Amino acid sequence: MKLSVVLSTQASQFEAVAFKGDFAANVAKIAGWGYDGVEVAIRDPRLVDGDEILRIAAVHSLEIPAIGTGQAWGEEGLSYTDPDPAVRVAAVQRTRAHIPFAAKSGAVIIIGLLRGIVKPGVSQEQALGWLVESLQECCAAAGPHGVRLALEPINRYETTLVNNVAQGMELLERIGAENMGLLLDTFHMNIEDAEMVESVRTCGDRIFHFHVADSNRWYPGAGHIDFEAIFQALAGTGYEGYVSGEFMPQPDADLAARWSIEYLRQLESCG
Ligand code: LER
Ligand code: MN
């Protein structure tokens, strides 16, 4: 199993990102602990130097499996489901702006909190309609560049739209694009899905990316999730992508990243 960990390219309010500081220094540390890749969180691709990110990653032989986009919601309020059409357009434009770097790096574009939440005065069906339209537009723009998008079911305490894997699969049906899949995150599935192993099996070849944190959102091994069973199911789907650590920097970012890879590597299914 190829392992990566989330690294933000700039300061962020989102807590479950282990590293937020000096990018190059953190990439060096991550490579030193034995990771194969680094997942980058980018608020606005126009404000970061994609070639420099690729250069630094290459120096340490790290791949970039995915780009996290949720900071544009957290810091700027962009979403596909805002009642203001200008905000929805800006969210689609922002997603499209990630395409060149995604194409160069081979990274999947993560659609997490950019989906937004159902705002007062907006029905669930209307919000889902806007979400489907926006993602169809993003997929159509990304497709010719060979870029894939991964929608992440996110627990109910963070969003009111698409909380579990079954809802994610339903939305994929409605979007109907080959380059749209799901990102499964064990922290969210542990809250929302009746049986995580079953969710992994059901999602099958629509799993485009995978996040791990334990039940308490600390590093894997700090809580009570059965990662052995989950990874066996994941391997059974034929998944060849990355398992990316997205957890709280507890007790600190370095220890969390080190203990996570140590724990995952000793699992039979992840060795
Ligand atoms: C992002 O990958 C995620 O898991 C969400 O919890 C973001 O808030
Ligand atoms: Mn996640």
Side-chain angles (χ1 to χ4, degrees):
M1 204 77 82
K2 290 184 289 186
L3 298 178
S4 56
V5 67
V6 178
L7 172 57
S8 182
T9 52
Q10 57 189 90
S12 156
Q13 288 167 19
F14 179 47
E15 288 186 323
V17 172
F19 298 99
K20 298 177 186 173
D22 179 345
F23 187 80
N26 283 324
V27 166
K29 282 196 288 189
I30 288 165
W33 294 321
Y35 282 94
D36 311 290
V38 60
E39 174 182 322
V40 291
I42 300 178
R43 179 173 68 73
D44 186 340
R46 291 167 303 189
L47 305 180
V48 300
D49 182 344
D51 288 337
E52 182 62 5
I53 290 177
L54 280 173
R55 191 192 64 75
I56 293 168
V59 164
H60 299 282
S61 304
L62 291 184
E63 291 187 297
I64 300 184
I67 303 166
T69 60
Q71 290 174 359
W73 156 262
E75 326 278 326
E76 297 174 67
L78 299 189
S79 98
Y80 308 125
T81 57
D82 195 280
D84 180 350
V87 175
R88 301 200 297 275
V89 167
V92 170
Q93 276 171 350
R94 180 63 59 85
T95 313
R96 294 179 68 143
H98 285 286
I99 293 172
F101 180 64
K104 262 192 188 174
S105 60
V108 66
I109 299 175
I110 295 173
I111 309 298
L113 286 173
L114 256 187
R115 60 153 78 49
I117 53 173
V118 183
K119 288 264 176 85
V122 176
S123 70
Q124 183 84 10
E125 199 39 50
Q126 174 66 85
L128 283 170
W130 284 331
L131 181 56
V132 168
E133 274 169 33
S134 299
L135 288 176
Q136 282 172 335
E137 205 178 321
C138 295
C139 286
H145 302 274
V147 170
R148 303 191 307 162
L149 283 74
L151 175 73
E152 180 177 33
I154 289 180
N155 78 75
R156 71 190 70 182
Y157 306 107
E158 293 186 56
T159 180
T160 41
L161 281 162
V162 193
N163 302 124
N164 60 41
V165 171
Q167 291 165 347
M169 293 296 279
E170 259 179 60
L171 208 78
L172 290 192
E173 280 285 306
R174 285 180 65 176
I175 295 164
E178 271 303 300
N179 60 335
M180 181 90 239
L182 294 188
L183 155 54
L184 269 48
D185 182 324
T186 55
F187 172 71
H188 299 304
M189 285 194 291
N190 183 54
I191 295 170
E192 297 293 347
D193 287 57
E195 177 49 71
M196 281 193 268
V197 164
E198 207 39 52
S199 292
V200 170
R201 288 200 188 114
T202 311
C203 199
D205 65 2
R206 306 311 293 170
I207 302 176
F208 281 12
H209 193 49
F210 207 90
H211 277 167
V212 281
D214 219 316
S215 46
N216 44 11
R217 216 168 202 182
W218 281 40
Y219 55 92
H224 55 73
I225 289 179
D226 182 353
F227 286 99
E228 184 71 65
I230 290 168
F231 290 157
Q232 270 175 26
L234 188 58
T237 67
Y239 182 72
E240 289 182 342
Y242 270 78
V243 166
S244 205
E246 183 192 51
F247 36 71
M248 309 291 284
Q250 296 289 351
D252 65 54
D254 289 15
L255 283 176
R258 277 176 47 202
W259 289 346
S260 175
I261 193 163
E262 267 173 34
Y263 177 80
L264 295 175
R265 283 292 182 224
Q266 54 82 40
L267 298 177
E268 210 172 300
S269 51
C270 191

